[in-house]
Amino acid sequence: MVKLFTNYKLAEMSVLFLVLLIAVSSLGLGDIKASNYIQIRGSDTMVNLAQNLAENFMDEYDEYSVSVTGGGSGTGIAALINGQVDIANVSREMSEAEISQAEDNDVYPMNIAIAMDGLAVFTNESIELESLTVEQIGAIFRGDITNWSEVGGPDRAISLYGRQSNSGTFVYFRARVLQADYSDRMRRMNGTAQIVEAVKNDNTAIGYGGIGYTVEDGQAVSGLNILKIAVDEETEPASPLIPENVETGLYPIARPLFNYTDGKPEGAIRAYIDYVLSETGQDIAVHTGFYPVSPEYREFNERQLAE
Amino acid sequence: MNRFKEKMIRRFFQLNGLFVIFVLIGIFVLLIRNSYPAFREIGVWNFFSSAEWNPTSFTGPKYGILAQVYSSLIVTFGAMLIAVPLGVATAAYISEVAGPGVKNILKPTIEILAGIPSVVLGFMGIVVIGPLIARVFNLNQGLNAINGSILLGIMALPTITSLSEDAISAVAKKYKEASYGLGANRWQTLVSVVIPSALSGIIASIMLGMGRAIGETMAVLMATGNSPAMPENIFDSLRTMTATIAIELGEVPFNTTHYYALFAVGLILFIMTFLVNLVSDIILHKYQEVD
């Protein structure tokens, strides 16, 4: 009996020791954070952009290294709140709830607009609609309009494709266009590329996503019908394929893309942000399929970065 | 000296065994501790009575687990409809009909099937099975329950086949000889004598395959379309419990209701797979006693 007891005690202590060892080593790993190493996580819409920016930034400045991962804006925000990254790529504004959660964790989010993005709404090419109003698109994605004939299309049920809730595009589109919840019949795809692929192959489909995913050499990807969008019935519908429409705000679903940092960026992070906002950085954004920061947001950035 | 060595070896193995138990208990405690706040904040009744799950809703979070539990069950049930007949028939063929040459090729091949990463199967679901389903059933798309069922069926197949084959091979020779002696042919012997004798082993294998199917994440996440509505038929898109956790855990700030609610979903899932494994264990145990 006594022998058994000591055996167990020994085993118990060894296991405890092992667990402690694992816990301590994982804690230790988490704390290593070289100041010249920048970790970026977030928006899938922005991941290519951030990667291009990071590569060029590292070419120019040998002393810094940058790692970029996607996962969705929500993922980036959660990582920023949990102190796992230096910069979160976010394709929407953080909500008040998220900001207060961050502050509870001693993280003080600050945002800089790094580029503009036009959000395309597209259907399968067999739906020969030219334009819709923002309200009509909202009604379709809310599930209030369920047949194409209700908006002047063929007599077919509508199938909806959108992103998952960790996507900034999902949240931005909901706030800007739906102003209510998505229909629970909408299929939640893993990424914009998957939406494009699904809409191409489904002759009843409508989807949305960053314009960079829907355009090849200035033309719509084959199989897609990119809609012109009007603010309401009185205004002229505008195509997102014409860059000026997005830059002037004539195209109604255009949004700023943000980098969120914990407090005012300093050191390596500041160097990176400055590079992104420089002429070279903005050229890279245009090259990746986005638009330069609008004058309105340029002012916003100056205010944010001012001493 | 020798005795000391033996004692150390014994302790080493004892430690390993205890470690597994410790990990299991640790996971269970972690799940309960993290899901308790969810039940407190959402309410147990709300959690289990509503089918609406939308923690990041525009109007206010909704935490109802019904639709995803139902979705998980329906996909798993469909997978079993595919994998059980196919698996048991293959097992019967391998152990009773096939010659040693065929058997030596077929059994390892089926076991290799278990090694295919689920993300690869999910990819197949998107590019091969989805379009095929759409064409065969004349649908506009193929990311739906049936697609998930086919993939999970493929995943459960090796478990069911391999373990059923073991059970069928273990049936005592004297039963078969008695059956042949009474004038039964091979088919009659297989259906009325061999399979009934091996039934508890076969059922256990089915339960284990089912446990694998319920917990599978990547393939269903990729192939079922992830629409959170309650599915009305097998051609609807749906979102399982595993897919919900996988999609939402990345975006959730720690220690919020949403975070705890995902642990609660994990706890329910754990209890479901635990029960399935427990039942299979009980059946298997009974079977060993009979033998």
Side-chain angles (χ1 to χ4, degrees):
Chain A
M1 195 61 208
V2 175
K3 204 173 147 242
L4 196 76
F5 176 73
T6 48
N7 266 355
Y8 270 109
K9 193 139 188 179
L10 185 79
E12 219 172 56
M13 271 160 69
S14 314
V15 169
L16 206 72
F17 177 71
L18 210 72
V19 169
L20 272 174
L21 203 75
I22 293 167
V24 168
S25 61
S26 63
L27 265 178
L29 282 175
D31 278 347
I32 297 170
K33 210 183 210 177
S35 59
N36 283 350
Y37 176 55
I38 308 173
Q39 280 198 73
I40 305 179
R41 192 181 302 169
S43 171
D44 288 321
T45 309
M46 296 164 70
V47 71
N48 289 338
L49 171 63
Q51 225 135 34
N52 287 347
L53 286 167
E55 276 165 23
N56 286 290
F57 176 69
M58 284 188 284
D59 283 348
E60 201 133 322
Y61 300 92
D62 278 341
E63 64 267 41
Y64 301 124
S65 77
V66 184
S67 83
V68 179
T69 45
S73 296
T75 311
I77 289 172
L80 187 73
I81 293 176
N82 297 327
Q84 294 158 338
V85 294
D86 304 302
I87 297 176
N89 282 334
V90 182
S91 62
R92 60 177 168 90
E93 276 181 47
M94 268 175 86
S95 70
E96 266 165 42
E98 285 164 342
I99 289 173
S100 74
Q101 274 161 5
E103 282 166 359
D104 289 345
N105 267 14
D106 270 334
V107 171
Y108 300 92
M110 208 203 76
N111 57 338
I112 300 291
I114 64 161
M116 310 295 283
D117 180 29
L119 216 56
V121 177
F122 45 87
T123 68
N124 184 273
E125 64 179 347
S126 71
I127 312 284
E128 286 165 345
L129 274 175
E130 205 171 300
S131 68
L132 289 173
T133 65
V134 171
E135 175 46 36
Q136 280 173 322
I137 294 169
I140 289 172
F141 276 96
R142 284 194 299 268
D144 298 340
I145 293 177
T146 56
N147 195 299
W148 282 113
S149 61
E150 291 172 65
V151 289
D155 181 21
R156 282 184 216 152
I158 299 174
S159 44
L160 306 171
Y161 292 87
R163 291 288 307 274
Q164 292 162 357
S165 57
N166 54 3
S167 147
T169 313
F170 175 99
V171 175
Y172 171 80
F173 195 76
R174 183 172 69 179
R176 174 73 185 83
V177 181
L178 277 75
Q179 288 166 348
D181 275 324
Y182 288 99
S183 159
D184 59 6
R185 300 256 160 232
M186 180 179 84
R187 293 191 182 85
R188 270 72 165 169
M189 312 303 273
N190 285 319
T192 307
Q194 215 190 349
I195 297 178
V196 169
E197 207 50 41
V199 171
K200 273 203 246 174
N201 293 317
D202 179 346
N203 67 1
T204 62
I206 185 168
Y208 60 81
I211 203 127
Y213 286 91
T214 62
V215 178
E216 243 168 27
D217 307 323
Q219 294 287 312
V221 170
S222 80
L224 289 189
N225 168 34
I226 297 176
L227 294 170
K228 290 183 184 172
I229 297 174
V231 178
D232 51 44
E233 271 156 35
E234 269 84 67
T235 47
E236 194 67 21
S239 166
L241 296 176
I242 302 163
E244 292 83 62
N245 284 350
V246 178
E247 280 159 36
T248 56
L250 204 64
Y251 183 74
I253 329 180
R255 58 176 175 172
L257 302 174
F258 293 111
N259 271 355
Y260 271 88
T261 53
D262 175 14
K264 197 166 287 191
E266 282 164 7
I269 305 173
R270 179 64 192 254
Y272 174 77
I273 299 266
D274 284 342
Y275 179 78
V276 169
L277 296 178
S278 73
E279 212 167 300
T280 335
Q282 293 294 295
D283 277 349
I284 292 169
V286 173
H287 213 74
T288 321
F290 297 92
Y291 305 93
V293 178
S294 71
E296 178 197 347
Y297 276 100
R298 238 174 287 155
E299 261 172 50
F300 169 83
N301 287 346
E302 272 162 29
R303 274 201 308 277
Q304 291 286 79
L305 291 171
E307 291 307 318
Chain B
M1 193 59 207
N2 226 356
R3 251 194 71 167
F4 176 72
K5 211 169 130 190
E6 206 162 278
K7 224 164 110 184
M8 288 313 288
I9 290 170
R10 231 189 72 189
R11 274 189 186 160
F12 173 72
F13 283 106
Q14 191 181 33
L15 213 73
N16 284 300
L18 281 173
F19 187 66
V20 174
I21 295 173
F22 181 81
V23 168
L24 182 71
I25 292 174
I27 290 173
F28 195 59
V29 168
L30 185 87
L31 278 175
I32 289 182
R33 266 193 41 193
N34 278 307
S35 39
Y36 172 70
F39 291 122
R40 207 184 46 210
E41 283 159 35
I42 301 160
V44 175
W45 174 248
N46 278 339
F47 192 66
F48 289 108
S49 67
S50 159
E52 211 174 342
W53 176 272
N54 193 351
T56 50
S57 162
F58 197 71
T59 43
K62 298 176 187 81
Y63 298 99
I65 197 180
L66 274 189
Q68 39 180 315
V69 172
Y70 180 70
S71 296
S72 277
L73 290 178
I74 205 167
V75 171
T76 307
F77 183 70
M80 290 302 110
L81 282 186
I82 295 163
V84 169
L86 211 57
V88 175
T90 312
Y93 172 73
I94 291 175
S95 60
E96 296 296 303
V97 185
V102 180
K103 183 177 172 171
N104 284 339
I105 295 169
L106 206 54
K107 203 172 178 196
T109 309
I110 288 165
E111 277 158 7
I112 287 171
L113 203 60
I116 298 178
S118 62
V119 67
V120 173
L121 277 175
F123 185 65
M124 295 291 173
I126 293 175
V127 301
V128 181
I129 299 174
L132 200 71
I133 290 171
R135 203 165 336 127
V136 170
F137 296 100
N138 197 21
L139 305 167
N140 52 51
Q141 56 82 43
L143 294 178
N144 51 25
I146 222 176
N147 195 336
S149 287
I150 291 172
L151 295 180
L152 291 186
I154 294 171
M155 287 186 159
L157 203 55
T159 312
I160 295 179
T161 310
S162 187
L163 293 177
S164 292
E165 202 269 332
D166 292 344
I168 291 171
S169 300
V171 172
K173 218 173 170 193
K174 58 188 178 194
Y175 293 162
K176 277 188 272 181
E177 280 163 356
S179 174
Y180 291 139
L182 288 168
N185 62 25
R186 241 164 123 181
W187 170 251
Q188 287 165 329
T189 306
L190 180 66
V191 174
S192 341
V193 177
V194 176
I195 289 184
S197 323
L199 198 60
S200 50
I202 292 173
I203 291 175
S205 80
I206 293 170
M207 294 308 243
L208 281 177
M210 201 158 136
R212 162 124 209 238
I214 295 180
E216 167 51 36
T217 309
M218 202 59 215
V220 287
L221 173 68
M222 291 167 80
T224 55
N226 301 317
S227 61
M230 191 72 131
E232 279 160 11
N233 60 53
I234 52 166
F235 300 120
D236 266 355
S237 292
L238 50 76
R239 191 163 86 177
T240 62
M241 300 163 81
T242 49
T244 303
I245 298 174
I247 289 171
E248 290 174 11
L249 202 56
E251 60 162 319
V252 68
F254 293 174
N255 306 328
T256 54
T257 308
H258 186 185
Y259 175 81
Y260 295 129
L262 290 177
F263 272 97
V265 174
L267 180 69
I268 306 300
L269 190 64
F270 182 70
I271 291 172
M272 281 164 66
T273 49
F274 181 77
L275 285 179
V276 168
N277 283 325
L278 189 71
V279 169
S280 102
D281 212 50
I282 290 168
I283 293 169
L284 208 60
H285 200 67
K286 203 175 142 205
Y287 151 78
Q288 279 162 349
E289 273 170 7
V290 171
D291 213 44

